[in-house]
Amino acid sequence: MGRIAVIGAGMGAMAAAARLAVAGHRVAVYERAETYGGAVRRFERDGFGFDTGPGLLTLPAVWRDLFIKTGKEPLEACVELIQVDPSSRHVFADGTEVALPNASRAGVVAALDEALGAGAGGRWGDFLVRAREAWDRTRRPLLEEPLWPNWSVLADREPYPAVPHKRLLRTRRAATLAEVGAWELRDPRLAALLDGYALAHGVDPGTAPASAAVLPYMEHAFGTWYVRGGIRELARAVYERCLARKVEFVFGAEVTRVLEKDGRAAGVELAGGTSQAFGTGGGTVAEADAVVGTGPWRLGGLVPGRKLYGAEDVEPGAEGLHPGRVVVCLALRGAREPDAVHRTVVHSPDAADELSLFGPGATPERPTVRIDRPDDPALRPDEEHECVVLTATVPSGTGYDWSAPGAADAFADRMVAAAERAVPGLRERTLWREVRTPVHTEQETGAEGGAVPPPSLASAEGTLHPSNSTAVPGLFTAGGWSHPGGGLPHAGMSGALVAGLIVEGPEFRGSQ
């Protein structure tokens, strides 16, 4: 079997490394930071712990599959998964509130009917049925197969079966998520609910294809899960599974170039003295039979003079065009109420202002804020304190200067004010807070401007990420900036696809 060099220790890269090691390859991971996990980080201080990346897990089957395929211990033997119920509570601009049951379409329909009025739940339930059809049409080619040069198969028809709608004497069908909300849901609160799922993934509802309906569908169909101790525990479990499979990790190792020999990727060059080469006992060159990188844009700079993708492939765009996230970690005095909901979404009272974040250089004055209040003793010093995480989608560093004096704190103040619509008294209870912006994301992950990758979406335009294979034989990409895009489930799928392409070759067609 061959030697594999993996650039970066993000979740997708580690998923690929574990699978490749089980297949008999010698795998070494070179990470420029001092820890693993990519954006899946934890901030700790004074006995408090906070997830600064994803707070909840959807599609845990992706990670269950990784653990089944790489060892005897299943995922649940390595982490404790807890199904969150309700999956989320929503506070709308008019003060209406609704708590949505986890993985229960009938329960969600009933809750929306009771909170928003008769008929609201039925319209959302019918939307979920259409979203399921879009999911069934796109799941395999979009998520479970490599992205082939004929990727336009995903654009042969709009996968979301939009309802015909008469508008200005013409019959129209929704082509964007915003049009689905306006024409099919016909309630500003339901539209805000739909927009919230898109915003949480860094997707603009005004331009996202109607097939983005799969984003709320995944949560409603497969549920939302919390990992005891925080999502960082999932990263730890994957890292330890890699170690158990004899994957070598070298931290503080910055890759400066991908080496080529006879037209193939042949290893990596590292900043002086930071690594050991395969079989050499030292030096700055690590030879390999294949290289797995993360982030096609950054990877392109490591292969000077080479075009990574052919004309028929999806070309990489600029990471900085995608939004990022601001995360506010609140250390609170006082116990968490026993009936507190794990996740609450406080929707912006001004949808137009909210969507300004997708324009140049602006932040929403009244953002939609996601509030996570985990009932987890591992994340607080004692029962008389609570940790709370606020998250908002914001422009990345190329669209807004988050390093400007006062910029981060001013926006955090607006987030706290919004959160107090759902959790009164946050400011009075706050012992201290930590504000993390796209500047921190860029430092931790290397993503330009601190942008966060959205998931791939099927559409006539092909809202896709670059393929896992490149025009350089032996060079592959895994992680959120590659097919099938961002998010914890997608990262795990990305690692599986790369491992399949390396082990089985270019004929690999995904898991059956």
Side-chain angles (χ1 to χ4, degrees), residues 313-406:
D313 294 310
V314 179
E315 287 293 330
E319 290 174 353
L321 295 179
H322 295 290
R325 295 191 183 116
V326 167
V327 176
V328 181
C329 307
L330 298 175
L332 303 181
R333 62 174 64 88
R336 179 186 187 274
E337 309 94 281
D339 60 348
V341 174
H342 186 113
R343 170 161 291 177
T344 298
V345 181
V346 180
H347 294 272
S348 171
D350 188 340
D353 171 63
E354 174 83 271
L355 298 185
S356 69
L357 70 90
F358 293 97
T363 61
E365 286 297 319
R366 293 179 289 180
T368 291
V369 175
R370 299 179 294 282
I371 308 167
D372 281 347
R373 305 179 67 187
D375 185 13
D376 192 340
L379 300 181
R380 56 181 181 249
D382 53 50
E383 294 298 321
E384 299 305 315
H385 294 85
E386 181 184 6
C387 70
V388 170
V389 177
L390 312 181
T391 307
T393 302
V394 299
S396 64
T398 56
Y400 185 79
D401 186 5
W402 288 104
S403 62

Side-chain angles (χ1 to χ4, degrees), residues 277-295:
F278 282 116
T280 67
T284 60
V285 169
E287 297 178 354
D289 299 294
V291 176
V292 178
T294 58

Side-chain angles (χ1 to χ4, degrees), residues 42 64 181 231 234:
R42 175 185 292 153
R64 289 189 179 114
I231 294 293
L234 176 63

Side-chain angles (χ1 to χ4, degrees), residues 89-474:
R89 167 193 175 209
H90 295 263
V91 179
F92 299 105
D94 65 354
T96 306
E97 298 187 16
V98 62
L100 302 181
N102 200 339
S104 170
R105 177 179 172 274
V108 167
V109 168
L112 288 171
D113 270 340
E114 181 177 354
L116 307 188
R123 291 195 297 279
W124 185 261
D126 291 342
F127 157 73
L128 289 178
V129 172
R130 295 189 291 275
R132 181 182 63 194
E133 187 168 340
W135 170 262
D136 289 340
R137 289 175 177 177
T138 63
R139 174 183 59 82
R140 182 163 179 80
L142 187 66
L143 301 178
E144 297 178 354
E145 293 183 352
L147 192 61
W148 306 111
N150 64 338
W151 60 267
S152 59
V153 65
L154 293 170
D156 285 347
R157 62 172 177 168
E158 168 56 54
Y160 177 79
V163 176
H165 170 79
K166 285 191 176 296
R167 183 174 176 82
L168 299 177
L169 303 180
R170 292 191 302 166
T171 298
R172 301 276 304 276
R173 293 178 184 269
T176 68
L177 203 65
E179 290 174 344
V180 171
W183 301 353
E184 299 181 7
L185 298 180
R186 304 192 308 278
D187 184 310
R189 296 164 297 185
L190 290 179
L193 178 62
L194 181 58
D195 288 353
Y197 286 102
L199 291 168
H201 288 87
V203 172
D204 180 355
T207 60
S211 64
V214 298
L215 300 177
Y217 173 77
M218 286 192 296
E219 178 175 309
H220 286 296
F222 306 111
T224 53
W225 304 76
Y226 176 68
V227 179
R228 178 72 69 185
I231 294 293
R232 176 67 177 175
E233 286 299 292
L234 176 63
R236 175 198 57 76
V238 175
Y239 171 67
E240 291 181 354
R241 176 55 54 92
C242 286
L243 293 178
R245 302 282 79 82
K246 309 303 181 184
V247 174
E248 176 191 1
F249 284 82
V250 185
F251 296 106
E254 182 176 1
V255 174
T256 56
R257 187 163 64 97
V258 172
L259 304 176
E260 290 184 71
K261 183 178 181 181
D262 300 328
R264 291 184 54 86
V268 295
E269 182 177 276
L270 299 106
T274 57
S275 172
Q276 291 186 344
F278 282 116
T280 67
T284 60
V285 169
E287 297 178 354
D289 299 294
V291 176
V292 178
T294 58
W297 298 275
R298 296 189 300 280
L299 192 61
L302 303 179
V303 193
R306 290 295 298 266
K307 184 177 177 65
L308 295 185
Y309 295 92
E312 74 278 9
D313 294 310
V314 179
E315 287 293 330
E319 290 174 353
L321 295 179
H322 295 290
R325 295 191 183 116
V326 167
V327 176
V328 181
C329 307
L330 298 175
L332 303 181
R333 62 174 64 88
R336 179 186 187 274
E337 309 94 281
D339 60 348
V341 174
H342 186 113
R343 170 161 291 177
T344 298
V345 181
V346 180
H347 294 272
S348 171
D350 188 340
D353 171 63
E354 174 83 271
L355 298 185
S356 69
L357 70 90
F358 293 97
T363 61
E365 286 297 319
R366 293 179 289 180
T368 291
V369 175
R370 299 179 294 282
I371 308 167
D372 281 347
R373 305 179 67 187
D375 185 13
D376 192 340
L379 300 181
R380 56 181 181 249
D382 53 50
E383 294 298 321
E384 299 305 315
H385 294 85
E386 181 184 6
C387 70
V388 170
V389 177
L390 312 181
T391 307
T393 302
V394 299
S396 64
T398 56
Y400 185 79
D401 186 5
W402 288 104
S403 62
D409 279 326
F411 190 78
D413 288 341
R414 300 206 293 272
M415 290 175 62
V416 172
E420 286 194 307
R421 290 170 49 200
V423 187
L426 277 180
R427 278 174 282 200
E428 290 75 12
R429 293 178 60 197
T430 299
L431 293 168
W432 51 264
R433 76 183 188 189
E434 170 75 9
V435 182
R436 302 181 70 81
T437 72
V439 173
H440 295 88
T441 304
E442 181 171 21
Q443 292 170 348
E444 293 173 352
T445 69
E448 181 183 349
V452 176
S456 291
L457 299 170
S459 72
E461 291 75 26
T463 311
L464 306 172
H465 289 275
S467 60
N468 306 107
S469 55
T470 74
V472 179

Side-chain angles (χ1 to χ4, degrees), residues 46-63:
D46 300 339
F48 292 91
F50 307 87
D51 277 326
T52 60
L56 292 174
L57 178 66
T58 56
L59 282 179
V62 172
W63 298 100

Side-chain angles (χ1 to χ4, degrees), residues 68-112:
I68 289 172
K69 300 289 177 55
T70 60
K72 295 181 179 179
E73 289 184 316
L75 175 63
E76 280 82 352
C78 302
V79 297
E80 181 182 356
L81 289 179
I82 302 168
Q83 195 165 17
V84 176
D85 200 15
S87 65
S88 55
R89 167 193 175 209
H90 295 263
V91 179
F92 299 105
D94 65 354
T96 306
E97 298 187 16
V98 62
L100 302 181
N102 200 339
S104 170
R105 177 179 172 274
V108 167
V109 168
L112 288 171

